[in-house]
Amino acid sequence: MISPINLCKRKLMGCVFIGMTVLLTSCETKPIEPSELLSQKQTFSSLKRTSSPLPSLHVDGNQIKDAFGNPVTLRGFSLLPNESNDECTTCSPRPISEMLALQANAAQGWFSRVVRIGVHQSYSDPASAFANHIDPFVQQAISLGLYVIVDLHLVANYGDGGTPQSKVIDFWRYVAPHYANNPEVIFEVYNEPISPDNWTTWKNFIQPVVDTIRAVAPNNLILMGNPQWSTRVNQAVSDPFDDPNMAYVYHIYPNQPATTSSLDARFGNAANSIPIVITEFGWNADPNYSDNVTYGTSGGWGKQFRTYMDGHAHIGWLNYIFDNYWKPQIFDWNWNLMSGENQGKFIRDWLFELQNHNQAGGFTPGPQTAFKVHNIPGRMEIEDFDEGGQDISYHETTFDNQGGNVYRNTPVDLGTTNDGGGGYTLGYINTGEWLAYTLSNTVAGTYDINLRVASGDAATGKKITVKLDNVPLGTVDITSTGGWETYQNFTLSDVTVPSGSNKILRLEFEGIGYNVNWVEFLSNP
């Protein structure tokens, strides 16, 4: 989409207390601080990206894989075309280089692995477009350890009465050879062809463009759009292009339902046969930052879409758009990250949670090391989980520490409690989260395992599973204790524990609406 916004400042809803969610009408969003707008040479304080070059990507059946045969799910952002960055006179534009660096900055919670660099108005002068609007950002993206899509961002009819084929060929004839030896660079040949709405006509138009690219860049991954704003991908199932390293594009916004049946019919069934990447999707509930195509809510559209995409991990996606100008943007026009029913925080948390899932190169987490010495028998305070990071010593579904306590510099949601004379507690629990603890020594025996929990509501489905070296010791069901600071013990009785050293205790959480203070192993002779 390329629709400029009607801008205004807006406060958004969504404040939370530990253990439950309370909607308020004026929670401030978080503005980008100057220190967050980093140069391309910025290093990461706690995570290290794999050095370039990243492994080359290739199509294998309906999947994209790296050079080692591992499945790769492309996940990241589109950026505003540099040539349009000065069009908005009221929304404080920032250099595209700063935005590119920010969306790759893990220290600020951004875990993009691929970025889409577009050019549209200036494409008919390929040399100028390349020098001023493409290559500086492609080189920056590569230096940041990202895959980068060069996007010919045309939203136009093609052929007679539309974009001339010769212009598209000229663009790629100039641009493609510059990246023939860069495995990180992907070509999206034509963003959104509109009409004619005919697959054969489209193939006849764009095949000479593909031939032009392949003559000079035979190995780069190509992303192929399709008529009607890239919504006709199903046609490629029965009549694909004769190209061994091509994936197909689909674009979706809330004007298309996010139900399973709708997504299956639009691109999901096709993705069982051909590789598909969603190179545009997004939404906002604030009407100042959306229109009749992009208006939607996180609860009513975004969550359905995410559930579907997480269940179809072979389909890549790039959110639209990491900026404050074109709709549907991540930031409002004063550079506040939009939250509540808007998409900004939702997308950041999604990328954060899946930072290590089907990713080539990227970040090197770990190693897992003990934060404190733990033994069985004994008590593990919930906040003293191991060091190592996401998917190593914990799995967290949101980047922000919603508990607000700085005892640990991690996104795990720790707050304070008065239980037992004070200390820390885990809150804002979501299904799928877990914490791990290294045990220096375990004494063989039979134990009662007490979990110290408070819950202020009667919602069902709240469970904690205790595992030792990935072997389940048992699961407790959590019921209401009558208050968020009313703690009681939930007990697994007569649990047999083997002896050993350097074993890993893991607590796995299901459901929402409870806080956890500690876990304790007591001998039960």
Side-chain angles (χ1 to χ4, degrees):
M1 304 294 294
I2 55 167
S3 98
I5 58 177
N6 180 13
L7 298 165
C8 78
K9 185 175 181 180
R10 181 79 169 180
K11 293 183 180 179
L12 303 169
M13 298 193 303
C15 285
V16 281
F17 296 112
I18 288 180
M20 65 177 181
T21 300
V22 178
L23 293 181
L24 302 178
T25 58
S26 61
C27 292
E28 292 284 358
T29 51
K30 181 183 182 298
I32 305 177
E33 299 298 332
S35 61
E36 297 179 55
L37 294 172
L38 305 174
S39 72
Q40 78 176 69
K41 295 183 179 179
Q42 174 70 34
T43 57
F44 303 103
S45 60
S46 58
L47 290 168
K48 186 176 182 180
R49 285 187 182 265
T50 300
S51 299
S52 292
L54 292 170
S56 60
L57 300 178
H58 68 274
V59 167
D60 183 359
N62 69 334
Q63 297 186 67
I64 295 172
K65 294 184 177 181
D66 65 18
F68 309 102
N70 302 308
V72 173
T73 305
L74 295 172
R75 300 189 190 97
F77 287 105
S78 290
L79 296 183
L80 185 71
N82 183 59
E83 61 198 306
S84 295
N85 198 37
D86 60 354
E87 292 175 3
C88 181
T89 59
T90 59
C91 56
S92 304
R94 283 172 168 159
I96 297 301
S97 60
E98 291 183 351
M99 302 312 296
L100 198 163
L102 178 61
Q103 58 85 52
N105 182 3
Q108 299 296 337
W110 297 105
F111 286 84
S112 172
R113 298 298 179 81
V114 57
V115 64
R116 187 169 174 245
I117 304 295
V119 61
H120 60 125
Q121 295 168 343
S122 65
Y123 84 100
S124 58
D125 184 351
S128 176
F130 176 82
N132 298 308
H133 305 304
I134 299 173
D135 195 54
F137 308 110
V138 170
Q139 299 306 326
Q140 180 184 359
I142 291 172
S143 76
L144 290 169
L146 298 172
Y147 290 102
V148 56
I149 297 170
V150 177
D151 164 34
L152 181 53
H153 198 82
L154 299 179
V155 184
N157 295 340
Y158 61 94
D160 294 341
T163 303
Q165 183 189 71
S166 60
K167 289 289 189 181
V168 181
I169 289 175
D170 287 346
F171 175 82
W172 287 110
R173 179 181 288 123
Y174 186 90
V175 172
H178 289 280
Y179 302 121
N181 297 314
N182 291 88
E184 302 97 331
V185 181
I186 302 164
F187 303 141
E188 188 168 356
V189 295
Y190 194 126
N191 168 56
E192 288 184 351
I194 303 174
S195 292
D197 184 10
N198 182 280
W199 183 251
T200 300
T201 303
W202 169 245
K203 283 189 71 178
N204 290 337
F205 173 87
I206 206 67
Q207 183 64 59
V209 178
V210 175
D211 295 341
T212 299
I213 293 172
R214 287 305 184 214
V216 294
N219 299 318
N220 296 72
L221 180 65
I222 286 178
L223 300 182
M224 177 57 67
N226 44 83
Q228 290 297 288
W229 296 274
S230 286
T231 63
R232 297 294 192 252
V233 73
N234 288 332
Q235 303 296 319
V237 175
S238 58
D239 189 16
F241 284 79
D242 184 16
D243 190 286
N245 205 28
M246 177 182 291
Y248 295 86
V249 164
Y250 194 85
H251 290 177
I252 183 168
Y253 292 95
N255 65 325
Q256 304 173 58
T259 61
T260 297
S261 59
S262 176
L263 299 181
D264 278 344
R266 294 175 188 280
F267 62 84
N269 291 335
N272 293 327
S273 303
I274 58 175
I276 291 178
V277 180
I278 310 296
T279 58
E280 286 191 19
F281 78 95
W283 70 94
N284 277 323
D286 189 321
N288 295 290
Y289 302 100
S290 60
D291 52 27
N292 62 337
V293 171
T294 61
Y295 177 83
T297 64
S298 296
W301 195 87
K303 288 182 179 179
Q304 292 181 64
F305 183 73
R306 174 177 175 173
T307 297
Y308 187 90
M309 296 301 289
D310 285 353
H312 297 76
H314 57 294
I315 305 175
W317 55 260
L318 286 92
N319 177 256
Y320 201 86
I321 182 171
F322 197 83
D323 205 80
N324 71 337
Y325 180 28
W326 286 356
K327 300 173 182 177
Q329 51 274 75
I330 289 286
F331 304 98
D332 74 16
W333 69 302
N334 285 321
W335 295 105
N336 299 303
L337 177 62
M338 295 202 288
S339 59
E341 291 298 316
N342 300 291
Q343 69 169 342
K345 185 177 183 299
F346 185 104
I347 300 297
R348 186 184 67 174
D349 287 343
W350 190 1
L351 284 167
F352 165 76
E353 185 177 1
L354 297 184
Q355 63 186 264
N356 300 312
H357 185 264
N358 282 6
Q359 298 303 306
F363 304 97
T364 304
Q368 182 175 356
T369 57
F371 178 74
K372 282 194 175 180
V373 176
H374 303 296
N375 298 293
I376 293 178
R379 176 182 296 184
M380 279 65 74
E381 294 290 342
I382 198 71
E383 66 270 17
D384 293 333
F385 53 89
D386 284 354
E387 301 279 12
Q390 179 83 338
D391 299 323
I392 300 296
S393 57
Y394 59 80
H395 183 81
E396 173 63 38
T397 58
T398 59
F399 172 72
D400 294 315
N401 176 0
Q402 299 172 90
N405 193 275
V406 294
Y407 173 73
R408 301 284 298 274
N409 185 25
T410 77
V412 177
D413 301 312
L414 298 178
T416 56
T417 179
N418 294 320
D419 182 51
Y424 304 98
T425 189
L426 175 71
Y428 297 90
I429 293 168
N430 287 315
T431 295
E433 296 182 336
W434 52 263
L435 297 172
Y437 305 77
T438 297
L439 304 176
S440 295
N441 184 58
T442 61
V443 176
T446 301
Y447 293 88
D448 288 343
I449 305 174
N450 293 322
L451 291 141
R452 188 72 170 169
V453 180
S455 178
D457 67 36
T460 59
K462 295 176 282 192
K463 301 175 184 291
I464 303 175
T465 297
V466 182
K467 292 183 176 180
L468 187 63
D469 281 352
N470 213 34
V471 176
L473 300 181
T475 299
V476 295
D477 293 308
I478 306 301
T479 57
S480 175
T481 62
W484 305 111
E485 272 291 305
T486 304
Y487 284 83
Q488 68 181 55
N489 292 347
F490 291 81
T491 303
L492 291 169
S493 300
D494 300 326
V495 177
T496 300
V497 174
S499 63
S501 59
N502 293 318
K503 291 182 172 294
I504 302 297
L505 178 73
R506 180 158 145 164
L507 305 180
E508 299 180 351
F509 307 105
E510 294 181 50
I512 62 173
Y514 57 104
N515 304 324
V516 184
N517 191 354
W518 44 255
V519 57
E520 183 176 48
F521 285 72
L522 295 177
S523 295
N524 185 0

